[in-house]
Amino acid sequence: MRTTGLWVTGTIAALALTSCGGDSDPLADDSGGEEAQGEALVVGSQQYYSNTIIAEVYAQALEAEDIEVEREFEIGQREVYVSELESGAIDVFPEYAGNFLQYYEESSEAATLDEIVAQLEEVLPEGLRVLEPAEATDQDSFVVTAEFAEENDLTEVADLAGIEDLRIAANSEFETRPYGPEGLQDVYGVDITVVPVQDSGGPLTVDALLSGDVEVADLYSADPTIESENLVVLEDPEELVLPQNVIPVVSERVDEEAAAVLDEVNAALTSEELISLNNQSVEDQADEADLASEWLTEQGLN
């Protein structure tokens, strides 16, 4: 399986964040938050190559309308960057609807995308709002090899119940996610141990699965590796993982003009389009800036 420069960059960034200590702030500025930004809108991204591609699409679409942009990409996972959103240090961020809601409302009973968006509007801190979600989704998914699925007659998550010594490769944050070990036990009766792999479903996570170091991996549904490696995504009929449609989170500095640009981008971003972008990143090792520019041109958005 091929790796990409984006994933390698993300892994290095993760190590850098760790070495700086849990309290370090990659966007720290002595002058603080919003006042330090000037006129430019700051677009951020997770430490995840697909999220960075989306963020670059947002940034270039805004620039095409003569809206000044600064980029702060690959800045970590949700536990790191949410404080930057809340402080006003970041103005635009591609998020994933269900996971973002559960960050603020872990016990939320929202199930549909509409319910998730409505509840996000209620629970987000002052100064933050969400725009229109895309059709594109990038779900956390419980993935196994085809061989393991066949050996154990697996089609859905509940089929894992009763298999002893199950291990799942995932970011360490998975341990406390609502769909992590506790959720899997409560909803499906699955007993599983997390093997931390800090590359957000990247090549190290896939390698752990393919090598047999783990039996299950937390991969994202728009990952082209699922198809190229003939992996099996277990069905989640109880919807333990909420819909993870791509949704922009924006600050109050994002005006109607900028919001309209982002809404237009999201209206064109389907799951098929996102998988295609990810595939070009993985298979062709294409640069995210080139991918974003070409995609926006194809969509007539730049």
Side-chain angles (χ1 to χ4, degrees), residues 256-290:
E256 290 184 7
E257 179 189 4
V261 172
L262 297 173
D263 283 343
E264 192 172 12
V265 169
N266 264 20
L269 188 60
T270 65
S271 291
E272 291 75 14
E273 295 287 348
L274 182 56
I275 291 172
S276 176
L277 287 167
N278 289 349
N279 186 65
Q280 292 175 72
S281 175
V282 173
E283 295 299 325
D284 302 335
Q285 301 190 26
D287 179 75
E288 67 264 19
D290 293 336

Side-chain angles (χ1 to χ4, degrees), residues 4 6-7 48-51 53-54 57 96 134-139 141 219-229 233 244 246 268-286 291 295 298-299:
T4 72
L6 288 172
W7 271 326
Y48 169 42
Y49 79 104
S50 179
N51 192 262
I53 292 171
I54 299 169
V57 168
Y96 303 95
E135 185 273 331
T137 184
D138 207 2
Q139 304 276 126
S141 301
L219 300 183
Y220 303 115
S221 59
D223 187 343
T225 307
I226 292 173
E227 181 177 354
S228 65
E229 295 291 350
V233 177
Q244 307 297 357
V246 176
L269 188 60
T270 65
S271 291
E272 291 75 14
E273 295 287 348
L274 182 56
I275 291 172
S276 176
L277 287 167
N278 289 349
N279 186 65
Q280 292 175 72
S281 175
V282 173
E283 295 299 325
D284 302 335
Q285 301 190 26
L291 286 174
W295 186 82
E298 290 170 2
Q299 304 298 321

Side-chain angles (χ1 to χ4, degrees), residues 29-153:
D29 189 311
D30 291 339
S31 57
E34 183 177 333
E35 294 180 0
Q37 297 172 12
E39 295 301 318
L41 294 179
V42 179
V43 180
S45 84
Q46 292 182 0
Q47 190 181 303
Y48 169 42
Y49 79 104
S50 179
N51 192 262
T52 300
I53 292 171
I54 299 169
E56 180 62 30
V57 168
Y58 287 171
Q60 289 191 26
L62 291 167
E63 289 173 331
E65 298 299 323
D66 295 324
I67 298 171
E68 187 179 353
V69 165
E70 293 181 7
R71 291 162 174 79
E72 292 287 354
F73 291 170
E74 302 278 336
I75 58 173
Q77 300 306 313
R78 197 166 286 109
E79 286 74 9
V80 175
Y81 63 73
V82 164
S83 63
E84 306 300 338
L85 274 167
E86 293 176 345
S87 73
I90 300 173
D91 298 300
V92 179
F93 206 102
E95 257 290 358
Y96 303 95
N99 276 2
F100 193 51
L101 173 59
Q102 287 181 324
Y103 179 86
Y104 285 102
E105 195 74 23
E106 183 174 332
S107 60
S108 171
E109 296 183 1
T112 68
L113 179 59
D114 287 345
E115 290 172 346
I116 290 168
V117 173
Q119 193 163 6
L120 275 170
E121 292 172 351
E122 295 175 0
V123 302
L124 284 181
E126 184 178 356
L128 291 180
R129 71 186 194 280
V130 292
L131 302 181
E132 290 296 317
E135 185 273 331
T137 184
D138 207 2
Q139 304 276 126
D140 285 85
S141 301
F142 303 102
V143 178
V144 298
T145 63
E147 294 78 10
F148 190 73
E150 184 175 359
E151 289 170 5
N152 293 278
D153 195 24

